[in-house]
């Protein structure tokens, strides 16, 4: 190989390019991986680093090698990876002169690393590509695809902080997207970034929207619907979450999900039990189980409030001063909101027993939710009571915010028997009201005045009707 390269280097400048390029198929057709790797290195080193070859010939040779590797001439994965990495290392000192070819090699290396599930390494290779250069023009659509791919790879290894940087770059170029696939990938990145950033309400809405897209595989859409339910459960309790829960609860596909039980209980404002929480916890990803720190102000407020309970006869129910994970906080806030639907008032100690918190910490959580408008009520610190404000049915979060409203007859959506019983009572009462109205019309139209007066007088005597005396 060295002899041939020496001969070709002595040719005229116009003949060097075809001569060097003719060696590429010959080298790649060999069977010994070690010889292929060695000969490719020798060829690239001669074409790139020898001054008598020239920049134009070097670009031609490197471009042809990139093309051959991209067409899958080398079938062996490890050999191809070794050749690509060695070629990049050889060209490294003169990267500025071979930007386009180096980018092509880096894209191939990223593909190989992605096959090996080396997500972060593949992302870093793509980050090192030159997309902003005066020597070559890269379209906004191509940049967008690279940025979205980097975000996707980083999120696979849960590197959400760095992925958000490239997501923001992609957001500036999304207007240039001309194909549906790129747009859908960007929307999925949006949902996942919101999920990792603990913006669970936003993530749930975006996952749910994507679960309706027909171009996405059915299994993937089911996965997105499950992710939407998970994020909705983890979101802060309040009217906004009730809207999302109502939308997911009405989705007929949700009934087949393993998380449907906790979805229905949250939507119907049922108190969640520890066993149900443990089952749901098994379905969460590591970032959704992240520990949360209790602020110094909350810790101080809980400690100072708990000092007022030392005289009570009952022992303290818990020593916890706050939720430890995102799931803990979501469940505690939900149970607090659910208790407001059950009780008119509750003691700090009783609420602490319900939430597995110290009485002061339970009071602190209720205070914060009231301040944020997510819970309606007042706190009586003298009597150590939390009073919940009763809401009219039309103002209920599930009715008004959830968009259900009042209905005369509703389809069976799997609601509990108590809901169906209440609906039947309302329907019966409405029928009785209509019947009494009809009877009154018949009474006034079918009887003579003297007969009607006699009947009314009889009812008064029996005490069944009370009438004010006429003037």
């Amino acid at each position: 190989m060295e002899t041939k390269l020496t001969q070709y280097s002595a040719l005229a400048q116009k003949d060097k390019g075809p001569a060097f390029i003719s060696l590429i198929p010959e080298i790649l057709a060999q069977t010994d991986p070690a010889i292929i790797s060695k000969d490719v290195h020798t060829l690239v080193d001669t074409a790139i680093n020898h001054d008598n070859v020239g920049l134009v010939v070097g670009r031609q040779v490197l471009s042809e090698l990139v093309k051959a590797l991209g067409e899958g001439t080398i079938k062996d994965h490890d050999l191809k990876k070794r050749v690509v990495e060695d070629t990049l290392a050889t060209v490294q000192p003169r990267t500025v002169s071979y930007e386009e070819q180096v980018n092509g090699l880096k894209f191939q290396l990223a593909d190989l690393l992605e096959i090996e599930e080396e997500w972060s390494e593949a992302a870093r290779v793509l980050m090192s590509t030159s997309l902003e250069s005066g020597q070559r023009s890269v379209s906004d659509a191509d940049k967008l695809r690279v940025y979205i791919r980097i975000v996707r790879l980083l999120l696979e290894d849960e590197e959400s902080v760095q992925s958000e940087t490239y997501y923001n770059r992609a957001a500036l170029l999304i207007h240039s997207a001309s194909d549906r696939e790129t747009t859908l990938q960007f929307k999925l990145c949006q949902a996942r970034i919101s999920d990792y950033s603990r913006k669970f309400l936003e993530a749930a809405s975006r996952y749910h929207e994507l679960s309706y897209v027909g171009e996405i595989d059915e299994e993937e859409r089911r996965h997105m619907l499950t992710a939407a339910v998970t994020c909705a459960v983890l979101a802060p309790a309040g009217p906004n979450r009730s809207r999302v829960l109502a939308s997911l609860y009405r989705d007929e596909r949700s009934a087949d999900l393993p998380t449907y039980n906790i979805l229905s209980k949250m939507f119907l404002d049922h108190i969640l039990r520890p066993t149900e929480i443990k089952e749901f916890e098994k379905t969460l990803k590591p970032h959704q189980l992240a520990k949360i720190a209790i602020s110094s102000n909350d810790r101080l407020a809980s400690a100072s409030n708990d000092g007022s309970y030392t005289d009570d006869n009952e022992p303290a129910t818990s020593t916890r001063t706050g939720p430890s994970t995102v799931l803990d906080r979501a469940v505690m806030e939900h149970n607090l909101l659910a208790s407001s639907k059950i009780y008119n008032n509750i003691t700090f100690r009783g609420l602490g027993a319900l939430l597995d918190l110290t009485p002061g910490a339970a009071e602190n959580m209720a205070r914060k939710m009231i301040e944020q408008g997510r819970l309606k009520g007042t706190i009586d610190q003298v009597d150590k009571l939390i009073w919940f404000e009763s809401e009219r049915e039309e103002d209920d979060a599930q009715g008004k915010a959830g968009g259900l409203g009042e209905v005369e007859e509703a389809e069976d959506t799997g609601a509990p028997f108590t809901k169906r019983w209440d609906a039947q009572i309302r329907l019966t009462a409405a029928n009785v009201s209509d019947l009494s109205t009809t009877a009154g019309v018949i009474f006034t139209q079918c009887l003579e005045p003297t007969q009607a007066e006699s009947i009314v007088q009889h009812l008064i005597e029996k005490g069944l009707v009370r009438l004010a005396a006429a003037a």
Side-chain angles (χ1 to χ4, degrees), residues 85 140 224 272 336:
E85 289 178 336
D140 287 346
M224 290 176 188
L272 298 174
L336 175 53

Side-chain angles (χ1 to χ4, degrees), residues 448-464:
E448 294 292 334
T450 55
Q451 293 176 322
E453 180 182 357
S454 175
I455 292 174
V456 170
Q457 183 64 35
H458 176 73
L459 292 174
I460 292 173
E461 291 175 354
K462 294 292 185 180
L464 299 176

Side-chain angles (χ1 to χ4, degrees), residues 257-404:
L257 299 179
T259 54
Y260 178 73
N261 180 52
I262 196 166
L263 169 65
S264 62
K265 287 204 167 189
M266 279 206 160
F267 172 71
L268 298 171
D269 284 329
H270 292 178
I271 292 177
L272 298 174
R273 302 301 177 187
T275 54
E276 298 165 341
I277 299 167
K278 288 292 183 183
E279 287 297 318
F280 178 72
E281 188 176 5
K282 296 176 183 177
T283 66
L284 299 182
K285 296 179 180 179
H287 73 273
Q288 294 169 336
L289 292 170
K291 300 289 184 180
I292 57 176
I294 304 174
S295 68
S296 56
N297 289 337
D298 288 348
R299 189 179 293 108
L300 182 62
S302 300
S304 61
N305 287 339
D306 289 338
S308 61
Y309 299 97
T310 55
D311 295 334
D312 289 354
N313 294 325
E314 299 179 23
T317 56
S318 174
T319 58
R320 297 178 66 191
T321 58
S324 58
T325 65
V326 175
L327 177 60
D328 266 351
R329 181 173 60 191
V331 170
M332 287 178 185
E333 290 183 350
H334 166 77
N335 284 344
L336 175 53
L337 195 62
S339 65
S340 70
K341 310 290 183 181
I342 302 172
Y343 304 108
N344 291 327
N345 58 61
I346 190 171
T347 64
F348 297 166
R349 181 175 296 280
L351 184 60
L354 180 65
L355 304 181
D356 189 22
L357 291 174
T358 62
E363 177 201 356
N364 197 40
M365 178 173 285
R367 175 185 56 78
K368 290 176 67 174
M369 291 183 67
I370 292 172
E371 288 176 351
Q372 295 167 1
R374 296 189 286 132
L375 176 67
K376 293 185 178 181
T378 57
I379 296 178
D380 185 344
Q381 291 184 325
V382 176
D383 293 331
K384 303 171 188 174
L385 284 175
I386 299 174
W387 288 87
F388 301 116
E389 293 182 8
S390 59
E391 298 175 337
R392 294 179 299 171
E393 184 175 353
E394 60 268 25
D395 291 334
D396 184 78
Q398 292 181 7
K400 182 178 178 182
L404 300 181

